[in-house]
Amino acid sequence: MYGLGILKGFGVTALNAFRSPFTVEYPDRRVGLPGLARSAGINPLAFVLKRPKDALKAVLGLAKIPARSQQHSRFRGQDFTWYVERCTGCASCAKLCPLGIIKIVTDPSGRQTQEGEVYDIETFDIDLARCMACGICVEVCPYDALHMGSGFERARYGFPNLLITVDELKKAPKRPSTWFRPQLEERGYHPHKSGQADWRLVGRHERPTAGQLKRNWVDDRAK
Amino acid sequence: MSMRTEPVTVNIGPHHPSTHGVFRLRVTFDGEVIVDVEPVFGYLHRGTEKLAEERTYVQFVTLTDRMDYVASMTNNQGFVLAVEKLAGITPSPRGVWLRMIAAELQRIASHLVGMGFFLQDLGAFATPLMYAMRERERILDLFEMLCGARITNSYMRPGGVFMDAPEDFWPAVNRFLDEMPGYVDEYESLISGNEIVLSRTKGVARVELDALINASISGPMLRAAGLAWDLRKKHPYEFYDRVEFDVPLAQESDNWARYIVRIQEMRESVKIVRQCVQQIEPGPIRPKEVPFLVRPPAGEVYSSIEGPKGELGYYIVSDGSIAPYRCKVRAPSYINLTLLKDMLVGWRVADMIVTFGSIDINMGEVDR
């Protein structure tokens, strides 16, 4: 019979009315009274007595709470996590970035640094406006100083505001992604659930001391 | 009584929503019937092949994502296989299995997008596309577990992949494989029996097999004409000779056949991923001796894989340095598009957009 296939299609569409929605609500999630009370941390009855206006809103389906996206711990975010304690200023990341957007300046103050010493990092700029989050800088970092971040909400007005400067990198909360960092994954680290990661725990090995660096780069080469 | 009519030339694009990107068609109509078609492309040209010449082999993997951006994993795979052939690298078995899993999941995702937008062009506004995006979303979640990114994956490296799958990937992929055939049944009962879709697509824009072969068309378009040409069967790369699968065929070579072949290929890809998950063995994902800066010996290589849209080939010339001397991409979308005039002449305006959708092209790959 002509039209049977269309009716069958309508049946599939109608079936979806009885399924739970697939859509993830972001940045705000609509909740009922129990959900709102849970997010406030008290039981629903006390919530009604304490904040009757909000409770009425929740019953009417108007209450919203902020929602966090369910991202995997490996998610390559835009904000980089950088540990000044681990960085030696070797600039591997800057050399191997496919777009050349990392700028590193060490020791501008005129201090005569010898080869093999740990450099003071004056500039460590990452131009996020051109970054494509490929993660090669993180992959080649020999001392696990640079990690991908876990955030993705870095929208700014104007290109200059997208530049991550060294001060911002130093101050930013340390929530590294576990991308290309199996040692973090073995420990079950999750950037949003486990809290901030300390610089002593994020590396595959200890950071070389100044003496070791000098031995590797100066003394061994002189032989 | 006959009326004297004059042909009218109309520009469709480059900013037309149904052209899947920035693509322009200069169409000459006689009334509503198409008399002549002139495709104009190049609006999305970014010079990816030239950029390859000043980037190392691993750095260029990140740019292959940007060519066919709904099938990044297969783009990675094609390039990486070419580099391995050129440099004589033997990949690690576990890395190869992971690459196959990723590539077949990507094939399902790409066919979902192709199917959804084909039906969207037909006028089934948003409903089938939403169903297609629902499952694609789950595949992208699996990719996020594997490599941290959803679209621009850059997951593969010469010798294997850069990181092993996390432990929570395996239950997730098994759950997806159990549910995916049911979803495909759902599309079939939603669309495949629909009389409007059938009358709009059956017999429309038919092309002869000879014309397809002469224009070196590949992929689902060729298989919809009844020729079982699939590089996974004909020249097995990776471990495709160790898995069992059929090559879905249709004989009609019209818009409907191109749609139904893609639907059936999704079922076959689910089978392949299931066998890969069963056969994968523990071990290293990448040989230790492969350096970050691959230096292939001087020479040239052409290596091709069966991408979701057709034969995806990479031709690399090396001069022994860390960057390719020349890198040429045989993009399936670009070559499949060349037969557009033969398909469209004699059909009407409404069939034009549907036919264009049935080729399943991606402008990022056409213009590169």
Side-chain angles (χ1 to χ4, degrees):
Chain A
M1 197 186 87
Y2 197 80
L4 211 63
I6 297 177
L7 285 178
K8 215 171 150 191
F10 279 146
V12 174
T13 311
L15 208 64
N16 274 296
F18 303 104
R19 287 186 187 159
S20 59
F22 189 78
T23 319
V24 179
E25 289 182 56
Y26 179 83
D28 289 325
R29 188 156 56 92
R30 206 164 282 169
V31 285
L33 183 58
L36 191 65
R38 206 179 308 131
S39 78
I42 43 181
N43 70 355
L45 203 65
F47 189 83
V48 172
L49 295 173
K50 229 182 204 170
R51 291 159 60 183
K53 230 182 225 174
D54 290 340
L56 185 67
K57 253 182 157 180
V59 170
L60 292 174
L62 295 172
K64 282 180 174 177
I65 56 168
R68 175 163 284 293
S69 75
Q70 293 291 319
Q71 71 192 47
H72 195 258
S73 64
R74 252 183 215 190
F75 179 76
R76 308 206 283 256
Q78 293 171 318
D79 313 319
F80 287 87
T81 305
W82 177 64
Y83 293 95
V84 66
E85 298 90 348
R86 298 195 74 86
C87 187
T88 59
C90 71
S92 295
C93 45
K95 278 177 218 152
L96 286 158
C97 173
L99 304 171
I101 59 166
I102 302 177
K103 183 185 175 194
I104 297 179
V105 176
T106 50
D107 286 330
S109 55
R111 185 165 73 89
Q112 292 294 312
T113 316
Q114 297 301 313
E115 198 177 355
E117 281 184 34
V118 175
Y119 300 115
D120 292 332
I121 291 142
E122 167 78 7
T123 308
F124 195 106
D125 288 351
I126 303 175
D127 188 2
L128 264 194
R130 293 198 286 146
C131 178
M132 57 180 179
C134 65
I136 284 182
C137 52
V138 177
E139 191 176 334
V140 298
C141 182
Y143 305 115
D144 289 359
L146 190 65
H147 302 251
M148 297 304 285
S150 52
F152 55 90
E153 293 168 322
R154 204 192 156 88
R156 299 279 190 280
Y157 284 106
F159 288 117
N161 299 330
L162 280 167
L163 191 80
I164 307 185
T165 57
V166 67
D167 299 328
E168 193 186 333
L169 277 174
K170 274 178 189 163
K171 278 182 221 141
K174 309 288 185 210
R175 295 185 188 282
S177 157
T178 62
W179 187 85
F180 213 79
R181 295 287 179 255
Q183 72 274 16
L184 284 176
E185 225 159 61
E186 274 167 25
R187 221 177 311 130
Y189 180 79
H190 192 286
H192 291 306
K193 294 172 190 159
S194 310
Q196 300 199 19
D198 188 68
W199 70 272
R200 291 175 200 86
L201 301 172
V202 294
R204 274 168 286 194
H205 44 75
E206 290 294 307
R207 193 187 81 148
T209 59
Q212 274 172 339
L213 279 176
K214 187 165 179 298
R215 235 182 353 265
N216 288 345
W217 293 106
V218 182
D219 300 348
D220 288 1
R221 279 185 179 185
K223 274 179 205 166
Chain B
M1 183 185 120
S2 69
M3 200 162 39
R4 197 179 63 86
T5 55
E6 275 186 15
V8 181
T9 304
V10 179
N11 265 311
I12 296 179
H15 289 256
H16 197 276
S18 59
T19 49
H20 302 232
V22 274
F23 177 63
R24 178 168 150 221
L25 278 166
R26 283 181 53 130
V27 194
T28 309
F29 292 110
D30 182 10
E32 218 185 320
V33 179
I34 298 166
V35 182
D36 191 21
V37 177
E38 188 194 338
V40 183
F41 34 71
Y43 293 97
L44 203 58
H45 181 68
R46 291 152 295 175
T48 312
E49 291 171 3
K50 187 71 188 167
L51 289 174
E53 293 169 17
E54 51 194 43
R55 272 160 183 76
T56 67
Y57 288 92
V58 173
Q59 282 178 346
F60 185 60
V61 171
T62 62
L63 295 186
T64 60
D65 292 335
R66 273 91 185 156
M67 285 195 292
D68 186 353
Y69 42 77
V70 298
S72 312
M73 285 288 192
T74 43
N75 277 287
N76 287 180
Q77 193 190 21
F79 180 69
V80 160
L81 280 171
V83 174
E84 280 173 5
K85 201 169 160 186
L86 184 61
I89 298 167
T90 314
S92 298
R94 189 175 173 86
V96 173
W97 287 118
L98 282 169
R99 285 204 302 225
M100 274 174 74
I101 290 171
E104 289 303 317
L105 287 174
Q106 184 74 76
R107 191 184 311 276
I108 298 173
S110 173
H111 282 343
L112 282 171
V113 173
M115 180 201 84
F117 278 100
F118 167 63
L119 293 165
Q120 167 118 335
D121 292 348
L122 199 56
F125 191 72
T127 308
L129 186 63
M130 286 297 140
Y131 283 85
M133 286 295 156
R134 180 185 62 186
E135 274 70 73
R136 181 168 180 262
E137 188 67 22
R138 299 197 47 184
I139 295 175
L140 297 188
D141 282 343
L142 291 174
F143 287 164
E144 189 184 318
M145 284 183 193
L146 274 180
C147 62
R150 299 165 69 81
I151 306 280
T152 49
N153 308 104
S154 326
Y155 182 46
M156 299 171 193
R157 296 281 184 272
V161 295
F162 67 70
M163 209 174 169
D164 205 348
E167 274 166 21
D168 50 351
F169 175 76
W170 302 110
V173 75
N174 280 327
R175 213 175 319 124
F176 173 75
L177 292 177
D178 292 340
E179 289 169 16
M180 189 62 202
Y183 288 138
V184 181
D185 291 341
E186 200 175 291
Y187 313 140
E188 291 249 49
S189 55
L190 182 72
I191 291 297
S192 297
N194 192 312
E195 281 85 357
I196 301 172
V197 174
L198 288 174
S199 59
R200 283 287 305 280
T201 53
K202 276 214 165 172
V204 175
R206 179 172 295 167
V207 232
E208 295 302 315
L209 181 60
D210 290 344
L212 289 169
I213 293 172
N214 286 343
S216 79
I217 307 285
S218 53
M221 262 181 94
L222 192 60
R223 293 194 282 276
L227 184 68
W229 180 261
D230 190 324
L231 288 175
R232 291 174 292 173
K233 283 272 189 207
K234 298 285 173 190
H235 303 290
Y237 53 95
E238 309 257 61
F239 288 157
Y240 277 107
D241 45 353
R242 297 198 206 170
V243 291
E244 299 266 322
F245 65 101
D246 301 326
V247 179
L249 287 182
Q251 303 298 330
E252 295 88 356
S253 185
D254 53 5
N255 283 351
W256 173 257
R258 291 190 270 273
Y259 159 77
I260 206 75
V261 162
R262 290 203 175 91
I263 290 274
Q264 281 159 10
E265 275 189 19
M266 282 196 251
R267 293 185 195 276
E268 296 302 320
S269 289
V270 170
K271 271 194 224 165
I272 297 174
V273 179
R274 201 184 288 282
Q275 291 173 50
C276 293
V277 172
Q278 281 160 2
Q279 293 187 44
I280 192 167
E281 63 241 36
I285 49 160
R286 202 180 161 189
K288 276 270 184 294
E289 64 273 11
V290 177
F292 189 80
L293 295 174
V294 185
R295 278 177 202 271
E300 58 180 355
V301 73
Y302 176 75
S303 155
S304 60
I305 65 161
E306 183 70 31
K309 297 179 174 72
E311 179 184 341
L312 172 67
Y314 282 86
Y315 172 69
I316 305 174
V317 182
S318 163
D319 56 355
S321 68
I322 55 172
Y325 180 76
R326 174 82 172 94
C327 178
K328 168 83 179 76
V329 186
R330 184 216 189 267
S333 301
Y334 175 60
I335 293 174
N336 290 358
L337 203 54
T338 52
L339 213 58
L340 198 61
K341 187 180 170 184
D342 298 321
M343 291 165 82
L344 286 180
V345 169
W347 294 97
R348 284 161 198 270
V349 190
D351 299 322
M352 179 184 70
I353 299 294
V354 183
T355 307
F356 188 65
S358 80
I359 305 174
D360 184 20
I361 60 140
N362 185 306
M363 289 318 288
E365 194 177 28
V366 173
D367 296 337
R368 299 193 289 286

